[in-house]
Amino acid sequence: MIMQDTKSNPNLIAVAFSGTHPFDAEQWRTYIDISWYELPDVGKIHGGFMKALGLQRSRGWPKEIDESGPHHYAYYTIRDELSRVFRENQDAKFILTGHSLGGALAILFVVMLILHEEEWLLDKFEGVYTFGQPRVGDKKFGEFMVEKMKKYDVKHMRYVYSNDLVPRIPYDDKSLFFKHFSPCLYFNSLYQGQILEEEPNKNYFSLFWVIPKILNAVWEVIRGFLLPFVVGREYKQNWFMTIFRLVGLIIPGIPAHIPNDYVNSTRLGSLNEHLEIQRPQHSKDD
């Protein structure tokens, strides 16, 4: 979805990538496809996410393709539409955002702009803000992205809420080697935010975290009834979310991935304090 606020800020374009639909088998197949797609001198990237963005089986990632036929690819379609908008409005800038699978596609869209050397688009790029984003590549890929994002002054803010399962997959271990390449803006169940190099319990499954996660899931059920009396309408929770939190008593981290708590984190959390960070993707040594 490409959006423009024509009244208050007509020069800002927002590109939002959709998250995973719970009953879309094709999207879940994208998650399950953890095959590597390797780019020389760049690193290894999640094959399923790359295919969802526009990777073509026989041609890879050509800089230009013919989209006059029946098949359209997300990366090329969005890039061409942004080019059209900027030809009409030279002062416009854009941001990228997405939740879950959408967060992965948002950051990989940046990758392809960099690889295709779309410098005039990168010059108009303000930053990428992802919510509940899964890991998308290996350590070498992460190092490549940190270097390039510093070069083009690209901000990357990766929001993680509490025990959300998805930012903790695919695994960062000796068998899969997936790595996040930027610190996270982590919000706990009270929506208290802090900047961390990695979210707590980075691979989700841990015997040490079983009891804390279950206790937190119980608290989230109770909290849903208490916070409306404390903060009023600022706290967002519908009846579906109230019921779905009961699932968290069995599988903690599943309800935490639903966008509600990310909405509440940005509305009720210490957001302004985090937005003062200009380059959160940089390492401690920068």
Side-chain angles (χ1 to χ4, degrees):
M1 181 183 295
I2 300 178
M3 299 165 286
Q4 180 179 16
D5 185 345
T6 57
K7 294 182 179 180
S8 62
N9 194 353
N11 289 330
L12 181 63
I13 309 297
V15 180
F17 290 84
S18 174
T20 309
H21 295 279
F23 303 108
D24 189 321
E26 184 66 23
Q27 290 190 354
W28 282 107
R29 191 178 73 171
T30 297
Y31 262 116
I32 294 171
D33 179 5
I34 56 174
S35 60
W36 288 116
Y37 177 74
E38 187 168 6
L39 288 167
D41 302 320
V42 174
K44 297 178 180 178
I45 309 174
H46 188 295
F49 297 155
M50 290 294 268
K51 293 170 188 173
L53 187 63
L55 174 65
Q56 298 160 69
R57 187 182 301 273
S58 59
R59 300 180 62 196
W61 283 106
K63 186 168 182 177
E64 304 291 343
I65 65 170
D66 180 10
E67 286 211 295
S68 61
H71 297 291
H72 296 271
Y73 300 92
Y75 165 72
Y76 298 99
T77 301
I78 295 169
R79 186 194 65 181
D80 292 348
E81 179 62 19
L82 286 174
S83 298
R84 183 193 66 78
V85 170
F86 295 140
R87 283 194 296 269
E88 296 176 358
N89 184 352
Q90 298 290 328
D91 297 325
K93 301 285 186 178
F94 75 102
I95 61 171
L96 299 170
T97 188
H99 169 259
S100 189
L101 170 62
L105 297 181
I107 193 62
L108 290 179
F109 185 87
V110 183
V111 176
M112 297 316 304
L113 290 181
I114 292 172
L115 292 178
H116 286 160
E117 299 179 334
E118 297 283 357
E119 296 200 7
W120 81 287
L121 282 177
L122 289 166
D123 184 57
K124 294 180 175 296
F125 184 37
E126 293 287 283
V128 54
Y129 306 84
T130 64
F131 301 84
Q133 172 204 319
R135 297 184 178 99
V136 298
D138 67 357
K139 181 178 180 180
K140 181 179 178 181
F141 168 74
E143 292 170 347
F144 170 85
M145 286 301 294
V146 169
E147 176 187 349
K148 294 299 183 181
M149 293 174 82
K150 178 188 288 187
K151 174 183 176 181
Y152 292 109
D153 194 26
V154 173
K155 305 178 186 71
H156 179 201
M157 295 189 177
R158 183 172 64 86
Y159 290 75
V160 176
Y161 168 73
S162 191
N163 291 320
D164 185 353
L165 167 65
V166 174
R168 296 169 168 91
I169 59 173
Y171 264 33
D172 174 2
D173 62 12
K174 294 181 180 179
S175 60
L176 293 180
F177 298 105
F178 281 88
K179 297 279 185 181
H180 281 305
F181 58 84
S182 63
C184 70
L185 302 184
Y186 177 78
F187 290 86
N188 63 20
S189 59
L190 289 173
Y191 305 122
Q192 297 169 334
Q194 56 183 316
I195 300 176
L196 302 175
E197 287 299 312
E198 187 78 61
E199 49 273 7
N201 187 29
K202 69 176 183 177
N203 283 328
Y204 184 73
F205 291 105
S206 169
L207 292 176
F208 296 104
W209 282 84
V210 170
I211 294 178
K213 284 191 294 188
I214 292 175
L215 291 176
N216 186 75
V218 173
W219 156 244
E220 287 180 336
V221 173
I222 299 171
R223 181 200 66 185
F225 295 100
L226 298 179
L227 276 186
F229 296 102
V230 178
V231 298
R233 294 182 179 180
E234 291 298 307
Y235 177 70
K236 299 295 182 182
Q237 177 163 303
N238 55 28
W239 64 268
F240 170 80
M241 195 66 209
T242 302
I243 295 174
F244 195 53
R245 288 203 191 279
L246 298 177
V247 175
L249 302 178
I250 303 171
I251 312 176
I254 296 295
H257 185 59
I258 301 299
N260 291 62
D261 281 314
Y262 284 101
V263 172
N264 288 326
S265 294
T266 59
R267 291 168 65 88
L268 304 175
S270 48
L271 183 62
N272 291 335
E273 179 180 321
H274 295 308
L275 288 180
E276 294 176 0
I277 305 299
Q278 294 299 308
R279 295 182 177 89
Q281 75 272 17
H282 294 177
S283 68
K284 292 180 178 179
D285 297 330
D286 292 335

